[in-house]
Amino acid sequence: MRRRLLALLAVLSLGLLAAQAAAAHEVRPAYLEIRQEAPDRFLVTWKQPTAGDVAVRLAPRLSNGWLETAPAESFASPGFLIRAWRVRDEGPDPLAGRTLAIEGLDQTITDALVRVELADGRSLETILRPDSPQITLAFQGGPGLAVPAYFRLGMEHILTGIDHLMFVLGLLLLVGVRWRMLQAITAFTVAHSLTLGASALGWVTAPSAVIEALVALSIVFVACELANRLRGQAGLTARFPWLIAFTFGLLHGFAFAGALVEVGLPKDAIPLSLLLFNLGVEAGQLIFVGAAILAILALRPVRARLPAIADRLALRLPPYAIGSFAAFWVLERTAAAFA
């Protein structure tokens, strides 16, 4: 009975990982910006993520009818489809109280970051999600960023980013629930915060496709280290977990930054938005680590009652599952980088 239960859990885990793997690139947010350029002129920019030449059918809609005409510009850039409308409206307040909706968003796992800036300083920033794909526009006075929007986006990015979570899980399984794990997580946090900050200030840049492939390679490395540890071989990560976490954390930081910077936020908003995004990433990471530690502690009594062969299978499942999916991502993302 216990073996059947273990097998069932393994199948369910692999199924969940497979579903997440298929959607690993689709957590990038879409972006809609409405900027008032003159009292009667507005620029509306829509940017949605694509996978190669494939784009999910998404369409922004405004209840005042601005977006029902053909866009003035429409073109593709690496990883995104971009459309822009130039609108002339002499109404006294043509956006206040209007409904904004993203058609097709409820059929995806993609969020849409919305930013509206009016000439009088009023602004709005929010996130539309598959379960809430529309909003009635209401503006706050004065300039400023909506803190919860970027914070939530960072938290959701890490909690839906199965590749980043696999790396953290691999570290946790390799180091164990002990003081050294705290050192490794701290080193990972410091490292990706550094590259987030460097990207925000424009000091360093890196091609996103290459970074994504290297992130997948870092997960393969940790999975191999975990498999070697099960054979009684203490690898570099087991001896110096903080060093490996810091080194690969630099790569993950570039990936975190790319998830937001590639959306195309105005340059004057990137530093603060990345800071809030990073805080959201840290909050989500702490939630995941806490949940994983609780699960490990809860399963210890169950493992003690398992037959020896079932216990060995349970120990081998995580590194081979993590390594298999990460190896697939390495191939997929390397091909994308060369393409």
Side-chain angles (χ1 to χ4, degrees), residues 101-333:
I102 307 298
E103 184 179 302
L105 191 67
D106 58 341
Q107 303 299 317
T108 72
I109 60 170
T110 301
D111 293 334
L113 181 59
V114 176
R115 180 185 178 96
V116 185
E117 291 187 357
L118 302 182
D120 60 7
R122 289 181 298 158
S123 64
L124 179 147
E125 293 189 12
T126 189
I127 299 175
L128 298 182
R129 299 180 177 79
D131 59 354
S132 55
Q134 69 177 38
I135 187 176
T136 299
L137 300 179
F139 300 98
Q140 61 183 13
L145 296 178
V147 173
Y150 290 106
F151 184 85
R152 288 198 306 268
L153 189 62
M155 182 180 292
E156 291 178 358
H157 179 73
I158 184 67
L159 291 178
T160 57
I162 189 65
D163 45 0
H164 301 297
L165 294 182
M166 276 188 176
F167 180 83
V168 174
L169 178 61
L171 278 179
L172 179 59
L173 294 174
L174 188 61
V175 179
V177 183
R178 58 183 70 178
W179 172 250
R180 297 177 71 199
M181 184 58 199
L182 179 60
Q183 292 178 321
I185 291 296
T186 301
F188 183 69
T189 297
V190 170
H192 72 64
S193 296
L194 286 175
T195 44
L196 268 171
S199 297
L201 296 174
W203 293 347
V204 291
T205 58
S208 60
V210 174
I211 290 296
E212 291 290 343
L214 291 175
V215 165
L217 190 60
S218 73
I219 304 169
V220 173
F221 178 85
V222 170
C224 290
E225 291 280 272
L226 186 56
N228 288 335
R229 181 176 177 274
L230 294 177
R231 301 188 188 101
Q233 303 171 5
L236 185 63
T237 306
R239 297 196 303 270
F240 307 103
W242 66 269
L243 179 61
I244 299 302
F246 183 87
T247 301
F248 288 131
L250 296 173
L251 294 175
H252 286 249
F254 279 118
F256 290 146
L260 191 58
V261 173
E262 287 184 358
V263 171
L265 293 176
K267 291 184 178 180
D268 59 348
I270 287 178
L272 183 54
S273 65
L274 278 176
L275 172 62
L276 299 173
F277 182 79
N278 189 36
L279 292 176
V281 167
E282 297 315 315
Q285 181 175 276
L286 289 175
I287 291 172
F288 174 76
V289 170
I293 289 175
L294 289 176
I296 291 173
L297 295 177
L299 288 174
R300 281 181 177 176
V302 177
R303 279 190 54 205
R305 295 193 296 270
L306 287 176
I309 186 172
D311 187 51
R312 287 197 297 272
L313 288 174
L315 288 175
R316 283 171 170 74
L317 176 63
Y320 286 103
I322 292 173
S324 297
F325 285 112
F328 170 77
W329 289 331
V330 170
L331 297 176
E332 180 187 45
R333 297 176 183 183

